[in-house]
Each structure stands twice: as structure tokens, then as C-alpha cells.
């Protein structure tokens, strides 16, 4: 709870968003299903967090492989946010 509060105050991110961003930062170009499996969460919960991260400009959709699979990439802003929030 303390880390979640700190992330929200300092960076405007929830802990859930941070976890998703962290996975994409390590494994950019992965699907929402992969992220859900790695974090032990549902695809629906990952989708909700991804929408917020997309809106913030921290991640982007990659439609180059398939229109059906939601593949997510970290943006430069997302990489900077992840580095700042992790340190």
C-alpha cells in the first residue's frame, strides 16, 4: 500500500499500472495474454491497466503482427517513467 501511494503521488501511476509497465519494459512487444500469465492476473484486468497506460502515452499498440492480438510496446516516455519509478 505504501508503494502504491508513493507511485500515485510521485508519478501518477498505480501499482497495478507499474507492474504492467514493468513487464512491457522487459518484454516489449508481448501480448496482453502473456502479461496476464506472467502477473497471474486476468486479461480483463490487464486490458484496464493497458488502456490507462495507452492514454498516458507510456505504451503503444503494435498492430504490425495481427489485428486480433493486442501486442503492447513501451514508448520512450514509458521507459523514462519506468526508470524514474524504479530508482
Amino acid at each position: 500500500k505504501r508503494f502504491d501511494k508513493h507511485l500515485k503521488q510521485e508519478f501518477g501511476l498505480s501499482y497495478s499500472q507499474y507492474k504492467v509497465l514493468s513487464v512491457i519494459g522487459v518484454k516489449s512487444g508481448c501480448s496482453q495474454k502473456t502479461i496476464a500469465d506472467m502477473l497471474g492476473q486476468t486479461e480483463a484486468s490487464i486490458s484496464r491497466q493497458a488502456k490507462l497506460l495507452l492514454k498516458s502515452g507510456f505504451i503503444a499498440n503494435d498492430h504490425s503482427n495481427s489485428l486480433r492480438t493486442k501486442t503492447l510496446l513501451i514508448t520512450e516516455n514509458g521507459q523514462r517513467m519506468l526508470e524514474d519509478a524504479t530508482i
Side-chain angles (χ1 to χ4, degrees):
K1 280 192 165 189
R2 256 188 285 155
F3 189 54
D4 187 50
K5 185 178 177 181
H6 171 73
L7 284 170
K8 283 182 184 175
Q9 288 177 343
E10 294 293 318
F11 304 104
L13 278 180
S14 70
Y15 182 59
S16 296
Q17 292 168 352
Y18 173 80
K19 290 189 303 182
V20 172
L21 189 61
S22 295
V23 170
I24 298 168
V26 171
K27 195 171 174 76
S28 191
C30 61
S31 69
Q32 289 185 18
K33 179 170 179 21
T34 300
I35 297 167
D37 290 344
M38 291 177 75
L39 295 176
Q41 297 180 350
T42 65
E43 285 186 66
S45 69
I46 300 304
S47 178
R48 285 190 296 275
Q49 300 311 319
K51 284 179 188 175
L52 295 170
L53 292 168
L54 283 162
K55 188 175 177 180
S56 299
F58 298 136
I59 63 173
N61 282 315
D62 177 16
H63 297 291
S64 62
N65 292 333
S66 169
L67 292 175
R68 293 185 67 201
T69 303
K70 295 212 177 183
T71 304
L72 303 172
L73 304 169
I74 193 164
T75 63
E76 287 182 34
N77 286 340
Q79 189 63 46
R80 270 195 300 276
M81 174 60 76
L82 185 57
E83 290 169 3
D84 290 346
T86 302
I87 295 174

